[in-house]
Amino acid sequence: GALGGLWLGLWRWQQAAMAASEEAEDEKEEEELRRRFMAPPVSGMRELRRRRRELRSRMELLIMETQAEVCRALGELDPGAAFAVDTWERKEGGGGISCVLQDGEVFEKAGVNVSVVFGLLSEEAARQMRSRGKALKARDGKLPFCAMGVSSVIHPKNPHVPTMHFNYRYFEIEEADGTKQWWFGGGTDLTPAYLNEEDAVHFHKTLKEACDKHDLKLYPKYKKWCDDYFYIKHRGERRGIGGIFFDDVDSPSKEEVFQFVKSCAKAVVPCYVPIVKRHCHDSFTPEEKLWQQLRRGRYVEFNLVYDRGTKFGLLIPGSRIESILMSMPLTARWEYMHTPPESSKEAEILEVLRNPKDWVH
């Protein structure tokens, strides 16, 4: 009996020591993650740890890490400026973290936003999804949803540094019978005011390498999708020189698509930062700055007239308008009937915007 009691006491002590060790490890991991992020995650560290094997938690950790990686990389390029870190809550469920740098030496405006929202989909938002071929069966007109993503637009001061946009997101909807529909979307694209072939090739090659790790068919497919999506119909030109874009991706499996999205998110800094470093100190003329302002006007036209993400964001009840319209440049210009001279550098970029090129072959 005494021996049995001793063994039981020893076993209990061992269990308590293991629990204490696990708790210490958890606290260490939590502290480490806190240091890595720009702000505490929307779902809270405890909840993310508790559900760390679930894809929703892993996606939230990925978007938080991506936000921090991009903000730190941009901060190193523009050390005199600082990101305003703005956390917000949505009373209908969820919230987000907006990180915005304004009026820096290198960046006129750079925003990197994370949002994690859930609740019930509005009728207009559901209608927009159904128009894309989603057969959504609501219960009493209600569709519970969860959406999360990281989204960024970077507008540099120097006209020889391109604007860059990226967005990676995950969406989940619960239908009337309890089944869940899920999909991923996203992309990364470049919008230069002036064409630099070396930059274009570097940008596209880096994205192609990220895609090729998963399937050689992905880059050509998503490059074309990007050229077709960022098309300003009323101007007959693309918004920029493209990159990759995809939406509603739900195969081959949730894990495989997540790993692909992760590779794309990890490619953001290497595809863009070297281009900024190469040109942020280039000299430029007032005429080149004017051309950049006119191209920014085109950027605004696309975002407000055609961009599905902007439209969808405005349709979600309780959405945060400042974060949705973070993509707008600080300054832009619209001139009546502006046409660049033939054979000019300005006409060269217009030619590529009207007729997209293959940059990697």
Side-chain angles (χ1 to χ4, degrees):
L3 195 59
L6 184 66
W7 277 117
L8 184 61
L10 189 62
W11 180 81
R12 281 182 178 148
W13 175 83
Q14 212 174 7
Q15 293 301 304
M18 279 169 64
S21 168
E22 275 177 32
E23 199 173 316
E25 277 298 308
D26 282 353
E27 278 173 18
K28 195 174 157 191
E29 185 189 359
E30 191 170 320
E31 186 52 41
E32 168 67 19
L33 285 172
R34 234 187 232 114
R35 270 203 308 275
R36 269 170 34 204
F37 298 156
M38 299 300 286
V42 175
S43 298
M45 284 308 311
R46 288 229 157 77
E47 185 61 15
L48 285 178
R49 269 213 335 273
R50 197 175 63 77
R51 297 189 286 112
R52 62 173 152 229
R53 286 184 181 80
E54 288 179 29
L55 193 123
R56 267 168 67 164
S57 294
R58 290 164 68 208
M59 183 65 180
E60 187 170 346
L61 286 169
L62 173 64
I63 62 179
M64 292 293 297
E65 279 167 13
T66 304
Q67 180 185 50
E69 274 169 26
V70 174
C71 287
R72 288 197 182 111
L74 299 180
E76 282 170 21
L77 293 166
D78 206 342
F83 276 95
V85 179
D86 198 5
T87 59
W88 52 274
E89 281 184 27
R90 176 177 173 269
K91 69 175 192 294
E92 293 84 355
I97 302 149
S98 297
C99 297
V100 181
L101 181 157
Q102 261 180 191
D103 264 335
E105 287 296 312
V106 175
F107 302 111
E108 195 168 287
K109 188 177 176 194
V112 192
N113 290 351
V114 153
S115 65
V116 179
V117 297
F118 50 86
L120 297 172
L121 210 57
S122 72
E123 194 42 57
E124 300 99 304
R127 203 175 300 127
Q128 189 188 321
M129 285 185 172
R130 288 189 181 105
S131 72
R132 286 178 11 226
K134 297 271 174 209
L136 304 173
K137 299 182 284 294
R139 179 186 287 140
D140 305 324
K142 289 175 182 169
L143 275 167
F145 83 99
C146 165
M148 62 181 70
V150 56
S151 181
S152 173
V153 178
I154 299 156
H155 293 290
K157 277 197 165 165
N158 193 310
H160 298 293
V161 181
T163 285
M164 196 265 284
H165 156 259
F166 76 88
N167 169 273
Y168 290 100
R169 58 195 177 273
Y170 172 71
F171 216 97
E172 203 174 85
I173 283 187
E174 191 176 323
E175 296 193 86
D177 59 2
T179 59
K180 283 182 181 170
Q181 277 205 49
W182 60 268
W183 60 90
F184 289 88
T188 304
D189 61 281
L190 199 68
T191 305
Y194 288 94
L195 184 64
N196 180 300
E197 297 233 354
E198 195 185 332
D199 295 343
V201 169
H202 165 79
F203 185 80
H204 277 268
K205 270 196 165 163
T206 309
L207 294 177
K208 182 179 185 296
E209 282 162 17
C211 293
D212 286 355
K213 285 180 201 165
H214 301 270
D215 187 333
L216 296 178
K217 296 192 196 84
L218 296 180
Y219 171 77
K221 180 182 176 183
Y222 294 157
K223 192 262 184 200
K224 183 181 185 309
W225 198 338
C226 189
D227 289 334
D228 292 345
Y229 178 76
F230 292 106
Y231 182 58
I232 309 169
K233 287 196 198 86
H234 61 270
R235 298 284 187 183
E237 62 192 44
R238 273 86 196 154
R239 187 176 78 177
I241 60 162
I244 56 170
F245 178 84
F246 55 91
D247 207 356
D248 301 330
V249 177
D250 57 5
S251 66
S253 73
K254 200 182 263 192
E255 183 60 31
E256 284 169 286
V257 187
F258 173 71
Q259 291 301 334
F260 165 65
V261 166
K262 190 173 180 178
S263 295
C264 293
K266 295 290 175 199
V268 168
V269 169
C271 78
Y272 184 59
V273 166
I275 297 173
V276 182
K277 283 181 176 170
R278 203 177 293 147
H279 300 292
C280 63
H281 299 300
D282 288 4
S283 60
F284 58 89
T285 65
E287 291 74 26
E288 287 170 333
K289 186 67 185 173
L290 169 69
W291 175 248
Q292 181 197 45
Q293 298 294 89
L294 291 166
R295 295 314 308 165
R296 291 237 187 103
R298 297 284 206 267
Y299 203 95
V300 170
E301 286 176 29
F302 177 84
N303 277 26
L304 294 182
V305 178
Y306 299 114
D307 189 65
R308 215 162 58 206
T310 305
K311 286 181 178 176
F312 184 78
L314 297 172
L315 292 175
I316 293 222
S319 57
R320 190 169 190 266
I321 305 306
E322 284 297 319
S323 296
I324 294 164
L325 297 182
M326 172 274 296
S327 63
M328 297 296 120
L330 203 56
T331 59
R333 188 177 172 104
W334 287 265
E335 275 191 20
Y336 184 68
M337 299 294 280
H338 185 280
T339 308
E342 274 185 48
S343 304
S344 64
K345 286 278 185 192
E346 292 78 12
E348 180 188 30
I349 186 78
L350 277 182
E351 175 56 32
V352 173
L353 300 179
R354 287 169 185 154
N355 301 292
K357 278 179 71 168
D358 178 350
W359 298 104
V360 294
H361 296 104

